[in-house]
Every structure is written in C-alpha cells, then in structure tokens.
Amino acid sequence: MIEELQLLSNPKSRVAEAVKTVRTNLEFSIVDSKNTKIMLTSTAPGEGKSFITACLAQSYASTGKKVLIIDCDLRRGRQYEIFGVSNNKGLSNILISDLEGVKIETIKTKLKGVYLLPGGTVPPNPSELLESQKMRDVVGMLEDDYDVILFDCPPVIGLSDSLIVTKYVDTTVIVAAYKTTPTEMLKKSVKSLEAVNARIAGVIFNKVPSSSKGYYSKYYDSYYE
C-alpha cells in the first residue's frame, strides 16, 4: 500500500478530520438507502479523486461498515496501485463474461473492512461496457453484500463514462484541486452532471494548504455565485 493512506493512521490528523467531515455530510445527505452508493469524479486527471475515494473508504470502514471500492476508470484506474494488488482481473473482465451462476470475487485489502474491485484489463470500449445491462447486473449483485459502495470514475470533461455511472448511484461528489481546477471547468462539469439528472452532493477541494483559508473561501464563493 502506498504512503497516501498512512495520512489517516492518526484519526486526529488534519486529513483524517477533513475526510470524516465529508463522510458525515454524506451520511446526512443519504438517509433513505439501506446501503450507500457514491460516485466520485473530477474535471480532469490529477485532481486526487482516487486518493479521496480510498481515504473515504477507510473512513467509512472505521465506523464498522463493510465498504467496496469499484474502480470504474477502465482507462487509467489506479486503485490497484494504491492498494498494491493485481489489475489482471477486474470490472472490465467481469463485464465481458457470462454472469449466470457467477459469484463476483472482490479483493480484501489491508485496510479492515475495505474491499476492492479493480478496473481490470483496459478494454477498447469502456463507455459501452459501463452502459451495458451487465454493469447494472453487477451493481445489483454487489450492493446487498456491502454497506457502502464507492465508484471511482474518470473525469467528467471529455468522457461520457462518469455520466453513465450516475444512474447506478445515490449521489455524486466532484473532486477539485486547489489552485489547479479552473472555475469554468468546474461549472462545466456540474452542468454536464445536471444534464443527466445526477444528484450532486457537493465539491471536495483537495490539496488545500493549511495556510490557505482565505483563498479557499474566495474560490468557494466564486464558484457558487
């Protein structure tokens, strides 16, 4: 497992507290489902959505919940790197196989209560696989076995993959990067998600230095004007 998740080893650390706040807000926003399905996406690569997904999974698991991460980034997924597991078999391989009588095997990670379904072999048609009936069937087969399922999805801009996955989840979270994500691109991502009737829980601003409160507030306000 790479060092990223070690940031949460101290429950009182700044990162752990921030992720706990996100988790708590999500729990209040999703109160009707017996299990919780959350999609995390971004506007562009490199904004930290996979890191945030892994951190959020650990935070949910710390409350005693059984958590599954599904890496829906079939193009450049990195959850297998974060958890140090093989990516030879995963979601894409399942979606091209016969599901009849099959039990979907997930990977038990080194984090207690956190399981992973990697993206698998990079397919030639990621969008088509995610939009298939088999994808809906896979989600249906998995949702009763886990309290929380986190869908780590590709960026919204330029790809339809995340827009497709919105129909399988309860809510969507957008991850943006401090002083990196242009406000206009963030607005465009929101509009794209709203166009497919996605329920957006909010935006997580990642990589914010502890001394940047003033800029953070300014950036946040400018987005919501």
Side-chain angles (χ1 to χ4, degrees), residues 35-42 49-50 53-54 56-57 67-73 79 91 117 130 135-136 138-140 142-143 148-154 161-162 164-173 175:
N35 48 23
T36 301
K37 298 185 288 295
I38 303 168
M39 185 183 91
L40 288 95
T41 185
S42 60
K49 67 173 176 60
S50 294
T53 302
L56 191 57
V67 185
L68 172 66
I69 298 173
I70 301 179
D71 198 336
C72 294
D73 192 338
Q79 288 295 337
L91 179 60
L117 180 58
L130 293 173
M135 178 63 182
R136 187 178 294 278
V138 166
V139 174
L142 291 169
E143 61 183 351
V148 179
I149 301 180
L150 303 177
F151 296 70
D152 182 0
C153 291
D161 301 24
S162 292
I164 292 168
V165 175
T166 59
K167 61 187 176 183
Y168 308 123
V169 303
D170 300 308
T171 194
T172 295
V173 175
V175 177

Side-chain angles (χ1 to χ4, degrees), residues 19-88:
V19 175
K20 180 181 177 181
T21 298
V22 171
R23 187 200 78 214
T24 302
N25 289 337
L26 285 169
E27 287 174 335
F28 276 113
S29 69
I30 309 172
V31 294
D32 298 328
S33 301
K34 67 174 182 178
N35 48 23
T36 301
K37 298 185 288 295
I38 303 168
M39 185 183 91
L40 288 95
T41 185
S42 60
T43 65
E47 294 175 318
K49 67 173 176 60
S50 294
F51 165 65
I52 295 296
T53 302
C55 289
L56 191 57
Q58 185 176 15
S59 186
Y60 268 112
S62 71
T63 66
K65 294 184 182 297
K66 186 178 180 182
V67 185
L68 172 66
I69 298 173
I70 301 179
D71 198 336
C72 294
D73 192 338
L74 303 184
R75 305 166 194 267
R76 299 177 60 184
R78 65 179 297 260
Q79 288 295 337
Y80 76 97
E81 294 179 338
I82 292 177
F83 288 99
V85 300
S86 172
N87 195 44
N88 291 334

Side-chain angles (χ1 to χ4, degrees), residues 195-213:
V196 294
N197 298 316
R199 179 182 177 185
I200 303 173
V203 178
I204 297 175
F205 286 96
N206 190 28
K207 306 179 183 179
V208 180
S210 57
S211 61
S212 63
K213 183 177 179 182

Side-chain angles (χ1 to χ4, degrees), residues 93-172:
N93 305 92
I94 293 170
L95 293 177
I96 61 173
S97 6
D98 185 357
L99 295 179
E100 187 174 353
V102 171
K103 177 176 173 56
I104 299 174
E105 298 291 338
T106 60
I107 298 172
K108 186 177 182 180
T109 73
K110 295 177 182 179
L111 297 179
K112 183 179 179 181
V114 178
Y115 296 77
L116 173 65
L117 180 58
T121 306
V122 178
N125 56 341
S127 299
E128 288 82 356
L129 289 180
L130 293 173
E131 198 165 17
S132 66
Q133 178 60 43
K134 282 188 179 179
M135 178 63 182
R136 187 178 294 278
D137 293 341
V138 166
V139 174
M141 293 168 69
L142 291 169
E143 61 183 351
D144 289 336
D145 294 331
Y146 299 90
D147 301 308
V148 179
I149 301 180
L150 303 177
F151 296 70
D152 182 0
C153 291
V156 173
I157 304 299
L159 297 171
S160 63
D161 301 24
S162 292
L163 303 181
I164 292 168
V165 175
T166 59
K167 61 187 176 183
Y168 308 123
V169 303
D170 300 308
T171 194
T172 295

